[in-house]
Amino acid sequence: MKHNHRNFGPKMSVVAVALAQAFAGHAWAQQADANTVVVTGIRASAQSSLAIKRDTMEVVDSITADDIGKLPDPNVTETMTRIPGVQGYRYGGEGASPVGTGSGVTIRGLSGQTASEVNGRAYFTAGSREFNLEGAIPGMVAGIDVYKNPSAEHIEGAIGGLVNIRTRNPSDFKGLTGALNIGGRYNDLAKKGNPELFGMIANRWNLQGGGRIGVMAAAVFQQSTGRSDNNPANGGANYKRAVRADSAEYATLAGANTTNDPSKPMSQYIGRTDVSYLAGVPTLPTSTTAGAYMPNLAGLTPEQVSNVMAAPALTNNVFQETIMRTRRGLNLAADWRVDNTLRFYVDGNYTYYLYHQNYRGLNSSDNNNQANNVQNLQTAPFNLTEQLANGNLNGGSNDVLATKRFLSGNFLNTRMTTTGGDEHRPYTTWIAATGAEWHPTPALFLKADINFIKADQTQDNRSVTLLSNPGLYWTANRISDGAPHQLTFTGPNLSDPSNFMYQAYSNGTHQSYHDTGGAVALDGTYSLDDGWFFSRFKFGTRAARQSSSYNNFAFGGRPLTSDGLALAADGSNGISAATGGHTQSSPTNFMDGLAGYSGGYVVYNPDQLLGNQVSGAFPKAGILPENGLTEQLLSRRYTNEKTKAIYLVGEFALLDDRLKGNVGVRVVRTNGEFVAQVADPITGAIGPYRRTTSYTNALPSFNLTYDLAKDFLARFGYGRGMTRPGLDQLNPSLTVNSTQGTLQIGNPDLRPLTANSFDFSLERYFSKTNYLAAGVFDKEINGFFNDVQNCENVSLATGYSGAVSNGCPSGQLLVSKTLNSEKGYARGLELSGQYFFDSAPGILKNFGVSGSYTYVKTDNPFNVGTKAAPNIISTPQPFASKNSYSVSALYEDNKASARLVYTWRSPSVLFGFSPNPIDGRYIDAYGILDGSFNYQLTDNLALSLIASNITNKTLNRNVGGLGNESGIERQHYENGRFFGFSLRYKFGNL
């Protein structure tokens, strides 16, 4: 980020002005002059982004909006995956953050290690340090900058990368300017379309004496409806032993089944050659000689052992989600340039994002081992080894534990349950800022900025289950192979509510986060005369605060019966689902029929879960009113964190400016207050428990570029960064297990992860739009978290004297606590390039290509031993693909432009490493094709068409982990394709 305040004037190039715009929110922001232009079109966007990459001293990649209110993609995280080193996650057909937490992007192999800014100011989602980019609104974005190596002048908090979202400001426009976009999007699986609206108005007035006033207002409303059809299944070895119905063993077991329990052998099948009973197989206790999932075959004959099989991903069911997303945004800004030396400004950004989901599930009782008689059982060869079962952690030979797995069969006499659910999860974040920029002398530039942030988030997930009537049975026909696995049902009408009873209501997730924050920042630059080693100094200080409160109102199942008691086995207190008018049929195009069964089953209507409708319909259930729920007091927590930082950066240039660089340091002091709720060990009364902490970090940085030749540069960067622990990890809570003598305690003394990051790249620029770049990076990370156990006396908990030994001296508890202990890394390679065929003959000059490739290897230390005797091994970071690339084909002439983008990722770990790979899940390799077309109907009116996920690919999940892939699908997804259009009208002085 470089501005020369000694030579700022009318001769400033368009590229330099673009840079000034791009970094207007940062410490040394400079108001752009009358040469300011609004970037429009693919080439102009590429040129602006490339200028930022080339002329910024740090390691940064950028994307600039093609036009007012028009980012290249309908989703911010999808756009970011075009940047080398950035990988995204999709859910429900859109770029998303996993389970609604974190930023939604992985930068250089690190997820959960990013920081977010809007116009250079820290920006976060309630309950988190990161901003959930799923809620960012493309129409409000002027550009996105991703800084991959921390620099001293940036706000600390990200070892993975810093994402700065730039919005527009009044100085982007020369006079009265307006824009209006009207459009919509349609999902071909949900069969639903929704509107999208964007509007902006801006003006600038010149005053006497060289002054100027500018104002701008922009607003956006965006909705989408998508689908997430999937079939979750079990992990684990899930050993089964087939007992044929024509065997003596089956007859003996059936004879003992006097209640005709369908989970056991049944007399009606004795002698059948096409029916087998799947008996459970116990496993050996885990010990130093036996890892997890070691089958206990003691007492079995060789023939019985030969009938043992593994059955991972056996119990897939039907789960359909309709995902409705609503985004609203408002951006207001005004500035007053008193003269060429003094400017005042005020701006605000408001973001509202609602994740609303109706979900419907169908589950058969064979999933719960309640229907174990199988007709036409088939198995497939499958070697379940110790490595796949438990990582062969005990060493020795990698023995085969099972030689086959369940392939297909018809599960007889199964009952059915259905679930109708609703989740509302609104996120609201707004920031207001004001400040001033002052040039008291040509050499000195000062800026003061004050901002306030308020963020709120609630998550309310409700559901009702229905259970099939006693005496009604189905056959579940399963094929546990292919993609997706096949499942059909034979039996009574699944869409008939009279075949079901209401079972229970649950509000299993009902939580809220309320955060506030703010910062006061004073920044400046001072340019020195020639003759000094340093040509300019950047300096500043920042005081900031983030407070967060968390409350939990969740509760478990409430029986929906005639007497308020649990549903009786004979259904005598049941209420028929045919009464009350509370049900609906699920969609009949589940997975477009690819999984066999296509839906149409009866469920509780998700819309009737809202408000107090369920408590009104079922007064015996004892459901409290919505505004009177009981809080789970032990879950309540409060965090108040304050930071103070100072930084100093010196810039220098040598060898006739061929060698340029900067060196600096940021020193930050963090003070935290953390309040948990704990129970008094004597009285049981619940009250606050408060802890405070403080620590200081010094974060040096050094950046260097050298012009090897004209338009050919080498870049080196070093920076030390930090990522503070999650707010929930710092909660000093205590969870006591009085029967086992254990205590889990939170640790507010956790320190940030720190990383020394190194970058080296070669960059060749052929024109203002064309370039090739190759770089390597290494992040050496220290302070990964690990759980440890110690025997302790804890004043806030009663000493243990139970019958079960906890391995500690009498009276002591076995205390588990998370500590900073381990080191890891993220290392890799990035390649990127862009080329427009401007000098080609004829129509070829309208084409261009761009692409990027990233290789990253990560080391995430994980304890596969016990907490008392740790055994640390190297594992990959979650959501990090070792290989990924993005390729774009581009076209632009005077009227039309088009973009076709293919993004591919190799497999990645889902959520986290599992020490028993058979329990784990990994996202299989996938590639997604997106495209857009734009046509300029008139000088002021344009038409845009967009298509997302053209080839209808999804992020399917398999059994196993990286290096231990089973090839067995565990959860298949179908999302459908999104198609969109918009009419964009603009006028004025652009």
Side-chain angles (χ1 to χ4, degrees):
M1 261 175 247
K2 189 173 178 182
H3 298 268
N4 189 334
H5 296 291
R6 293 175 293 179
N7 297 304
F8 186 82
K11 295 182 179 180
M12 189 176 189
S13 70
V14 171
V15 171
V17 174
L19 285 170
Q21 285 177 238
F23 301 105
H26 286 274
W28 45 94
Q30 176 77 31
Q31 179 70 13
D33 70 5
N35 291 318
T36 298
V37 294
V38 173
V39 171
T40 58
I42 292 177
R43 274 182 172 81
S45 171
Q47 179 177 325
S48 178
S49 299
L50 194 58
I52 295 171
K53 178 179 179 67
R54 173 174 179 162
D55 296 336
T56 302
M57 189 63 66
E58 303 156 70
V59 181
V60 61
D61 281 285
S62 298
I63 289 179
T64 304
D66 294 349
D67 202 348
I68 299 172
K70 186 180 181 301
L71 208 61
D73 297 278
N75 182 285
V76 170
T77 59
E78 292 169 23
T79 293
M80 290 182 61
T81 60
R82 321 308 184 204
I83 293 175
V86 178
Q87 298 169 350
Y89 178 81
R90 292 198 186 193
Y91 194 83
E94 293 190 25
S97 58
V99 295
T101 60
S103 67
V105 295
T106 299
I107 302 178
R108 289 185 164 179
L110 299 176
S111 61
Q113 311 289 343
T114 67
S116 302
E117 295 179 357
V118 170
N119 298 324
R121 304 180 185 100
Y123 202 62
F124 52 78
T125 294
S128 175
R129 299 188 185 279
E130 300 178 282
F131 177 62
N132 181 1
L133 292 168
E134 181 180 353
I137 306 172
M140 305 294 287
V141 176
I144 305 167
D145 309 311
V146 178
Y147 297 90
K148 304 173 185 177
N149 197 330
S151 191
E153 60 266 32
H154 285 302
I155 300 170
E156 75 286 344
I159 63 175
L162 169 65
V163 178
N164 180 46
I165 296 176
R166 293 178 273 118
T167 62
R168 300 198 180 275
N169 62 69
S171 297
D172 290 343
F173 310 97
K174 299 177 183 178
L176 180 62
T177 304
L180 178 64
N181 299 356
I182 300 175
R185 280 200 295 162
Y186 174 84
N187 181 273
D188 68 349
L189 184 59
K191 310 295 184 186
K192 182 70 180 293
N194 297 98
E196 296 182 350
L197 300 171
F198 168 81
M200 188 217 70
I201 189 77
N203 204 356
R204 194 172 79 179
W205 297 270
N206 294 323
L207 306 177
Q208 293 182 352
R212 186 169 71 217
I213 291 178
V215 296
M216 188 207 72
V220 66
F221 175 81
Q222 180 190 77
Q223 283 186 325
S224 66
T225 300
R227 284 269 292 272
S228 181
D229 293 4
N230 59 92
N231 58 349
N234 64 288
N238 195 26
Y239 293 115
K240 304 290 184 181
R241 180 171 64 87
V243 181
R244 283 181 43 142
D246 60 350
S247 67
E249 181 184 3
Y250 188 98
T252 300
L253 294 172
N257 183 13
T258 57
T259 61
N260 213 28
D261 183 349
S263 67
K264 302 174 182 178
M266 303 174 71
S267 58
Q268 67 198 69
Y269 300 127
I270 292 175
R272 293 270 296 267
T273 60
D274 62 338
V275 173
S276 296
Y277 167 67
L278 294 184
V281 177
T283 56
L284 296 171
T286 302
S287 66
T288 56
T289 58
Y293 293 122
M294 300 292 287
N296 185 354
L297 306 178
L300 297 182
T301 67
E303 180 182 1
Q304 290 173 323
V305 170
S306 69
N307 290 324
V308 171
M309 70 191 78
L314 165 64
T315 60
N316 64 288
N317 54 43
V318 176
F319 196 70
Q320 180 273 324
E321 302 165 281
T322 300
I323 299 173
M324 296 154 281
R325 295 175 166 103
T326 300
R327 298 176 176 93
R328 298 196 297 262
L330 181 66
N331 179 204
L332 302 174
D335 64 1
W336 173 32
R337 180 184 287 277
V338 179
D339 53 34
N340 288 331
T341 65
L342 181 62
R343 171 181 175 256
F344 297 94
Y345 62 87
V346 60
D347 63 68
N349 283 278
Y350 164 81
T351 301
Y352 170 86
Y353 171 55
L354 172 63
Y355 179 91
H356 177 202
Q357 176 189 166
N358 288 163
Y359 58 89
R360 305 163 184 90
L362 174 66
N363 198 14
S364 54
S365 61
D366 61 289
N367 286 359
N368 304 316
N369 293 318
Q370 294 177 6
N372 295 318
N373 291 282
V374 182
Q375 187 179 20
N376 301 322
L377 174 67
Q378 298 289 323
T379 61
F382 177 71
N383 284 337
L384 175 57
T385 64
E386 284 190 86
Q387 178 63 38
L388 182 58
N390 53 48
N392 197 22
L393 294 179
N394 297 310
S397 59
N398 183 25
D399 295 340
V400 175
L401 307 179
T403 59
K404 56 188 174 183
R405 69 177 181 91
F406 174 88
L407 178 63
S408 64
N410 311 318
F411 286 78
L412 307 171
N413 300 293
T414 181
R415 294 184 70 183
M416 308 297 289
T417 58
T418 75
T419 301
D422 180 274
E423 176 171 306
H424 273 72
R425 192 171 188 177
Y427 305 77
T428 302
T429 304
W430 63 268
I431 181 171
T434 186
E437 298 173 345
W438 184 35
H439 284 268
T441 72
L444 180 62
F445 170 72
L446 299 172
K447 177 180 177 179
D449 186 271
I450 302 173
N451 70 75
F452 176 79
I453 303 175
K454 189 174 189 306
D456 299 285
Q457 177 193 167
T458 60
Q459 185 181 13
D460 185 351
N461 191 309
R462 311 173 180 193
S463 63
V464 165
T465 55
L466 309 180
L467 175 64
S468 60
N469 294 336
L472 292 183
Y473 295 102
W474 285 258
T475 297
N477 310 298
R478 298 182 177 279
I479 303 176
S480 297
D481 199 23
H485 291 182
Q486 298 296 295
L487 176 63
T488 59
F489 302 98
T490 306
N493 187 354
L494 286 168
S495 63
D496 185 354
S498 64
N499 289 330
F500 291 83
M501 299 175 294
Y502 300 110
Q503 186 176 34
Y505 169 81
S506 178
N507 197 184
T509 303
H510 195 146
Q511 56 191 354
S512 63
Y513 305 82
H514 301 285
D515 291 21
T516 60
V520 177
L522 301 173
D523 302 276
T525 64
Y526 184 76
S527 301
L528 284 72
D529 295 330
D530 294 339
W532 296 88
F533 176 78
F534 289 105
S535 59
R536 184 168 68 163
F537 284 105
K538 303 173 185 176
F539 53 90
T541 182
R542 178 178 182 268
R545 177 185 65 86
Q546 180 179 355
S547 65
S548 178
S549 61
Y550 172 80
N551 305 90
N552 184 4
F553 300 91
F555 58 90
R558 297 289 189 270
L560 304 182
T561 57
S562 59
D563 55 9
L565 301 177
L567 183 61
D570 61 1
S572 57
N573 61 344
I575 301 174
S576 173
T579 63
H582 304 305
T583 63
Q584 65 173 208
S585 290
S586 70
T588 57
N589 64 337
F590 177 73
M591 286 197 187
D592 270 338
L594 296 175
Y597 180 66
S598 58
Y601 51 93
V602 63
V603 296
Y604 200 93
N605 187 341
D607 291 338
Q608 294 195 27
L609 294 166
L610 306 181
N612 295 310
Q613 295 182 79
V614 180
S615 60
F618 300 92
K620 296 287 184 68
I623 302 170
L624 294 175
E626 200 173 50
N627 60 357
L629 297 179
T630 302
E631 182 182 358
Q632 306 294 324
L633 288 178
L634 290 174
S635 298
R636 182 192 296 177
R637 63 176 183 263
Y638 173 77
T639 300
N640 186 30
E641 192 172 76
K642 298 179 180 179
T643 63
K644 295 179 181 179
I646 58 172
Y647 72 88
L648 178 65
V649 176
E651 294 183 346
F652 58 88
L654 303 170
L655 305 177
D656 296 326
D657 286 348
R658 290 186 65 183
L659 181 66
K660 293 168 287 188
N662 63 36
V663 60
V665 65
R666 185 181 191 90
V667 179
V668 57
R669 177 74 171 174
T670 304
N671 294 285
E673 176 189 14
F674 312 100
V675 182
Q677 300 293 315
V678 299
D680 187 280
I682 299 175
T683 66
I686 297 175
Y689 173 54
R690 179 177 177 270
R691 288 285 310 278
T692 60
T693 63
S694 62
Y695 53 87
T696 302
N697 293 87
L699 308 172
S701 66
F702 174 64
N703 294 283
L704 193 68
T705 62
Y706 180 69
D707 293 331
L708 299 170
K710 179 177 171 53
D711 299 320
F712 185 25
L713 63 85
R715 189 188 303 272
F716 172 80
Y718 163 76
R720 179 179 297 162
M722 59 183 279
T723 298
R724 296 182 180 91
L727 299 176
D728 57 331
Q729 294 175 298
L730 297 169
N731 181 39
S733 60
L734 288 83
T735 304
V736 180
N737 185 327
S738 57
T739 61
Q740 300 292 325
T742 62
L743 171 65
Q744 180 71 46
I745 186 168
N747 187 7
D749 294 316
L750 284 174
R751 293 297 182 256
L753 275 71
T754 59
N756 289 313
S757 299
F758 303 88
D759 271 88
F760 178 76
S761 63
L762 296 174
E763 303 168 13
R764 176 70 167 92
Y765 296 89
F766 305 100
S767 68
K768 293 181 179 180
T769 58
N770 299 349
Y771 82 102
L772 285 174
V776 293
F777 60 89
D778 179 15
K779 294 179 180 288
E780 296 295 320
I781 306 168
N782 188 29
F784 275 109
F785 305 135
N786 193 16
D787 288 343
V788 297
Q789 285 185 333
N790 292 294
C791 295
E792 297 180 25
N793 292 308
V794 180
S795 60
L796 294 174
T798 303
Y800 179 66
S801 58
V804 178
S805 173
N806 64 358
C808 296
S810 178
Q812 290 191 341
L813 291 165
L814 182 62
V815 178
S816 298
K817 181 187 294 187
T818 301
L819 299 175
N820 298 95
S821 59
E822 305 302 329
K823 296 182 179 181
Y825 60 80
R827 301 167 184 160
L829 165 73
E830 293 175 354
L831 304 174
S832 62
Q834 180 173 272
Y835 198 87
F836 289 88
F837 300 97
D838 297 321
S839 58
I843 195 174
L844 292 178
K845 67 178 182 295
N846 299 326
F847 287 91
V849 295
S850 68
S852 66
Y853 165 77
T854 302
Y855 169 83
V856 61
K857 183 179 181 182
T858 60
D859 174 23
N860 182 28
F862 190 90
N863 181 17
V864 294
T866 65
K867 295 178 180 178
N871 178 15
I872 308 300
I873 66 171
S874 174
T875 71
Q877 284 280 339
F879 300 106
S881 295
K882 184 172 285 189
N883 295 280
S884 62
Y885 65 83
S886 178
V887 179
S888 301
L890 311 170
Y891 177 87
E892 185 176 51
D893 61 26
N894 293 333
K895 286 285 188 179
S897 64
R899 177 188 279 110
L900 195 64
V901 185
Y902 183 75
T903 305
W904 181 88
R905 293 182 57 175
S906 63
S908 60
V909 172
L910 179 70
F911 298 125
F913 171 79
S914 174
N916 305 317
I918 196 72
D919 286 331
R921 289 175 289 176
Y922 66 94
I923 301 171
D924 204 1
Y926 67 94
I928 291 179
L929 182 67
D930 302 319
S932 62
F933 173 80
N934 308 281
Y935 189 79
Q936 199 71 35
L937 300 171
T938 70
D939 289 344
N940 301 97
L941 184 64
L943 171 68
S944 292
L945 304 175
I946 194 163
S948 300
N949 193 21
I950 296 171
T951 53
N952 198 19
K953 299 298 182 181
T954 53
L955 284 65
N956 299 320
R957 304 170 180 182
N958 289 0
V959 174
L962 300 188
N964 294 292
E965 295 88 350
S966 69
I968 301 172
E969 191 172 74
R970 180 167 170 178
Q971 192 170 13
H972 186 89
Y973 283 85
E974 289 293 327
N975 300 139
R977 306 167 181 85
F978 274 105
F979 301 97
F981 82 97
S982 67
L983 285 172
R984 298 180 291 110
Y985 178 79
K986 63 182 179 180
F987 66 89
N989 299 304
L990 301 176

